[in-house]
């Protein structure tokens, strides 16, 4: 929140795909001097267009490839007339490396999402006054971090099947069982949640929900066995209690990735974004 995150230098490096509605590119941009790669989709027609930064969920960086994680969403939004920049985050694809601290806390990923918006706003085909964040799973947590870190940066935010807005929940749900060595190293350096409660509170976006200025839409499937639906219910309740404009949409029977109701959730999201970005 105290940091001045700088973003710019967005450039395309190769054309990847083209339809009658949009053109897709491999891209790269700069955040605080570091290079971050991603996938950029630009609608055809006369701009400037509203723009979205997409933050993907956890995929092992060892197998991650450029633009992976939210391909369905990228194409849907671009076809609806939005410029889309899907950030890879540092430590993924062709991006610069990330430190263990930056990776585990997702703070570097948060900087990369903020920097992506700032890079997009410099492009002549983007309307800098109509931007939003969209995140899924881990990227939902990145999105919540970003809107408390820089409350006036975008005009709306949408998260799907988000991780918890309480940092410790995510450590215990994901890091401890899946990366126990990483959890031990983190606790050795920073103390356990019992030993360093303020440190962990300050890594939780919910601690700062009173800073949120933009409308937020939360989507969650009731059958999600990766990120419990109770996490989004609590996040929604705390956002509203802090004075934020939050809407939680629960999808009965949907799992973490969304299947049968994916199209319905996207139509609901596009309508929300068009309303708040005045498209």
């Amino acid at each position: 929140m105290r940091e001045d995150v700088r973003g710019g230098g967005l450039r395309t490096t190769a054309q990847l795909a083209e339809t009658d509605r949009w053109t897709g590119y491999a891209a790269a941009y700069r955040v605080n001097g570091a290079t971050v790669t991603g996938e950029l989709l630009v609608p055809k027609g006369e701009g400037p267009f509203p723009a979205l930064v997409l933050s993907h969920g956890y995929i092992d960086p060892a197998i991650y490839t450029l633009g992976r994680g939210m391909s369905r969403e990228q194409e849907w939004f671009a076809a609806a007339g939005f410029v889309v920049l899907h950030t890879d985050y540092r430590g993924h694809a062709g991006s610069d490396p990330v430190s263990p601290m930056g990776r585990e806390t997702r703070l570097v990923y948060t900087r990369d999402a903020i920097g992506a918006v700032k890079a997009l706003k410099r492009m002549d085909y983007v309307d800098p006054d109509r931007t939003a964040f969209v995140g899924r799973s881990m990227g939902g947590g990145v999105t919540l971090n970003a809107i408390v870190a820089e409350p006036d940066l975008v005009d709306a935010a949408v998260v799907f099947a988000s991780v918890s807005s309480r940092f410790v929940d995510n450590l215990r749900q994901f890091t401890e069982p899946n990366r126990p060595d990483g959890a031990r190293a983190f606790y050795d350096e920073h103390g356990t949640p019992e030993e360093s409660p303020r440190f962990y509170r300050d890594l939780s976006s919910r601690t700062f929900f009173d800073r949120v200025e933009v409308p937020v839409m939360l989507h969650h499937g009731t059958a999600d066995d990766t990120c419990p639906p109770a996490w989004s219910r609590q996040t929604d309740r705390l956002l509203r209690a802090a004075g934020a404009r939050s809407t939680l949409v629960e999808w009965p029977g949907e799992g973490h990735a969304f299947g049968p109701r994916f199209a319905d959730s996207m139509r609901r999201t596009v309508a929300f974004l068009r309303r708040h970005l005045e498209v």
Side-chain angles (χ1 to χ4, degrees):
M1 293 186 294
R2 295 187 295 267
E3 187 175 328
D4 178 22
V5 177
R6 302 178 306 280
L10 178 61
R11 67 189 191 280
T12 59
T13 55
Q15 183 173 321
L16 300 177
E18 184 174 16
T19 72
D20 60 342
R21 295 189 179 185
W22 52 265
T23 306
Y25 305 92
Y29 62 101
R30 303 282 287 174
V31 181
N32 292 353
T35 295
V36 184
T37 59
E39 190 166 351
L40 175 70
L41 278 63
V42 181
K44 293 183 176 179
E46 184 177 351
F49 303 101
L52 310 175
V53 166
L54 272 56
S55 297
H56 64 82
Y58 179 80
I59 301 172
D60 185 345
I63 64 171
Y64 180 90
T65 54
L66 183 140
R68 183 175 175 185
M70 295 183 73
S71 297
R72 299 177 299 174
E73 292 87 347
Q74 291 178 64
E75 296 184 8
W76 192 291
F77 289 132
F82 295 88
V83 172
V84 179
L85 178 54
H86 178 292
T87 176
D88 290 330
Y89 310 132
R90 268 171 274 187
H92 293 70
S95 303
D96 283 352
V98 63
S99 68
M101 173 69 169
R103 179 182 61 247
E104 202 59 62
T105 62
R106 314 305 189 216
L107 292 181
V108 169
Y109 301 167
T110 301
R111 293 184 183 97
D112 295 341
I114 290 170
V117 172
K118 294 183 176 182
L120 276 174
K121 287 186 175 188
R122 295 172 178 263
M123 310 310 291
D124 58 8
Y125 51 82
V126 169
D127 183 340
D129 297 320
R130 294 187 294 166
T131 59
F133 286 118
V134 181
R136 180 175 285 280
S137 191
M138 180 186 75
V142 169
T143 295
L144 293 170
N145 286 350
I147 62 175
V148 301
E150 296 214 17
D152 59 354
L153 180 63
V154 298
D155 305 290
V158 180
V159 298
F160 288 83
S162 181
V163 297
S164 179
S165 54
R166 179 174 180 259
F167 182 76
V168 171
D169 290 340
N170 301 317
L171 274 177
R172 290 179 172 155
Q173 178 85 350
F174 305 114
T175 309
E176 288 182 358
N178 298 315
R179 301 186 300 280
D181 291 345
R184 282 193 293 272
F186 195 81
Y187 293 149
D188 286 346
E189 183 168 355
H190 303 291
T192 66
E194 293 72 28
E195 293 166 339
S196 307
R198 181 174 179 178
F199 173 80
Y200 290 91
R201 281 198 306 272
D202 285 353
L203 286 173
S204 302
S205 60
R206 66 175 55 175
T207 304
F208 308 103
F209 277 171
D210 60 339
R211 292 171 55 86
V212 174
E213 297 180 4
V214 300
V216 181
M217 174 170 275
L218 310 167
H219 295 276
H220 218 114
T222 61
D224 190 333
D225 59 2
T226 300
C227 293
W231 284 355
S232 282
R233 293 175 191 139
Q234 179 76 334
T235 292
D236 174 62
R237 185 185 69 79
L238 293 173
L239 280 166
R240 289 185 286 107
R245 292 165 289 165
S246 178
T247 301
L248 171 61
V249 184
E250 294 196 45
W251 298 92
E254 281 292 340
H256 188 61
F258 279 59
R261 303 299 301 278
F262 172 75
D264 293 334
S265 71
M266 290 302 294
R267 281 189 282 267
R268 187 85 175 256
T269 296
V270 168
F272 172 84
L273 291 170
R274 283 177 171 160
R275 181 166 69 254
H276 291 291
L277 273 60
E278 300 181 356
V279 177

